[in-house]
């Protein structure tokens, strides 16, 4: 388009930024950002949120948060990217601050995916008890994703008690998922509770829970 001297509109710019986010192409995304300023492309809500999303997905958390502070009105989807980035950067307080601002400042009602991001934010940093308390205070019933986040982090940090609680919830909501049994079994094993680990494996057999075969994929570039 640039070679043909066709000036891109807001939709085109947002689409390219979305592709940069998915590919992790920060250098190209920054070049597009510079192009927006240089050619005065209207930075509407779609473009602004695409920029925030791109910077979050590419790991440039500070650039993304800088844009929010500058007055770019974020959408509900944009906050998922911001919270996700804060979780991976270990910015617990900052992430909680932005979560609170969703409703108080921007008038956006948090959805299940936002609650899941906060649980991930807390548990990834080792605040498992706070994550569990947050789940219990949620105004909506937590889904399997939320409980699985807590279970995975409980395994990572060796918290058997919370791993058991999360597994019991998952077995109520999704009893046929083998991952729920395997994660708790591995948590027991890492804590040298081999009898409990074996019992979980036996429970899988009793309930006829099938573990899907592993698979992998490759991409070939020519």
């Amino acid at each position: 388009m640039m070679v043909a001297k066709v000036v891109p509109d807001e939709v085109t710019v947002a689409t390219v930024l979305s592709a940069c986010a998915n590919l992790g192409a920060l250098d190209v995304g920054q070049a597009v950002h510079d192009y927006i300023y240089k050619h005065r492309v209207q930075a509407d809500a779609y473009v602004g949120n695409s920029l925030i999303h791109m910077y979050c997905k590419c790991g440039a958390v500070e650039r993304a948060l800088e844009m929010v502070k500058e007055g770019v009105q974020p959408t509900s989807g944009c906050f998922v990217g911001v919270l996700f980035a804060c979780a991976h950067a270990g910015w617990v307080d900052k992430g909680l601050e932005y979560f609170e601002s969703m409703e108080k400042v921007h008038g956006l009602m948090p959805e299940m995916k936002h609650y899941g991001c906060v649980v991930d934010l807390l548990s990834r940093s080792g605040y498992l008890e706070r994550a569990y308390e947050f789940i219990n205070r949620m105004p909506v019933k937590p889904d399997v994703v939320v409980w699985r986040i807590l279970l995975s982090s409980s395994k990572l940090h060796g918290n058997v008690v919370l791993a058991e609680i999360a597994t019991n919830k998952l077995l109520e909501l999704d009893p046929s998922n083998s991952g729920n049994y395997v994660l708790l079994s591995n948590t027991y094993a890492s804590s040298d509770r081999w009898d409990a680990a074996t019992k979980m494996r036996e429970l899988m057999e009793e309930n006829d829970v099938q573990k899907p075969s592993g698979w992998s994929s490759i991409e070939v570039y020519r």
Side-chain angles (χ1 to χ4, degrees), residues 143-152 163-177 179-181 183:
D143 62 5
V144 293
V145 176
V146 171
W147 287 115
R148 195 163 290 125
I149 290 172
L150 182 64
L151 174 56
S152 298
E164 290 177 330
I165 292 174
T167 300
N168 289 332
K169 293 292 184 179
L170 285 168
L171 294 182
E172 293 177 10
L173 299 170
D174 190 15
S176 62
N177 190 310
N180 303 330
Y181 299 84
L183 279 173

Side-chain angles (χ1 to χ4, degrees), residues 175-179 181 204-205 207-213:
S176 62
N177 190 310
S178 62
Y181 299 84
M204 285 182 64
E205 296 180 3
N207 294 339
D208 195 28
V209 177
Q210 300 298 317
K211 183 179 179 182
S213 302

Side-chain angles (χ1 to χ4, degrees), residues 43-195:
D44 59 10
Y46 294 104
V47 173
N49 280 280
S50 295
L51 281 167
I52 295 172
H53 179 65
M54 183 274 295
Y55 281 124
C56 286
K57 290 293 290 289
C58 292
V61 185
E62 293 182 354
R63 291 293 303 273
L65 299 182
E66 181 187 76
M67 292 200 62
V68 174
K69 290 178 180 178
E70 287 178 357
V72 176
Q73 181 60 36
T75 62
S76 177
C78 177
F79 270 100
V80 173
V82 171
L83 293 172
F84 179 81
C86 288
H88 282 265
W91 294 357
V92 177
D93 292 336
K94 181 63 69 174
L96 292 174
E97 179 184 329
Y98 277 102
F99 174 76
E100 292 293 332
S101 74
M102 281 189 66
E103 185 175 359
K104 293 181 180 178
V105 178
H106 303 284
L108 298 171
M109 291 298 296
E111 302 171 22
M112 186 66 70
K113 55 189 176 184
H114 301 109
Y115 290 113
C117 285
V118 174
V119 173
D120 184 45
L121 172 73
L122 292 169
S123 57
R124 187 182 290 270
S125 298
Y127 299 110
L128 295 174
E129 296 293 340
R130 289 178 65 184
Y132 180 54
E133 291 173 2
F134 178 83
I135 292 174
N136 288 330
R137 295 197 308 269
M138 285 170 50
V140 293
K141 185 177 180 180
D143 62 5
V144 293
V145 176
V146 171
W147 287 115
R148 195 163 290 125
I149 290 172
L150 182 64
L151 174 56
S152 298
S153 295
S154 297
K155 174 187 177 299
L156 178 65
H157 295 284
N159 192 318
V160 178
V161 175
L162 285 182
E164 290 177 330
I165 292 174
T167 300
N168 289 332
K169 293 292 184 179
L170 285 168
L171 294 182
E172 293 177 10
L173 299 170
D174 190 15
S176 62
N177 190 310
S178 62
N180 303 330
Y181 299 84
V182 173
L183 279 173
L184 182 57
S185 176
N186 292 341
T187 304
Y188 284 137
S190 62
S191 301
D192 293 329
R193 294 178 57 180
W194 298 106
D195 289 342

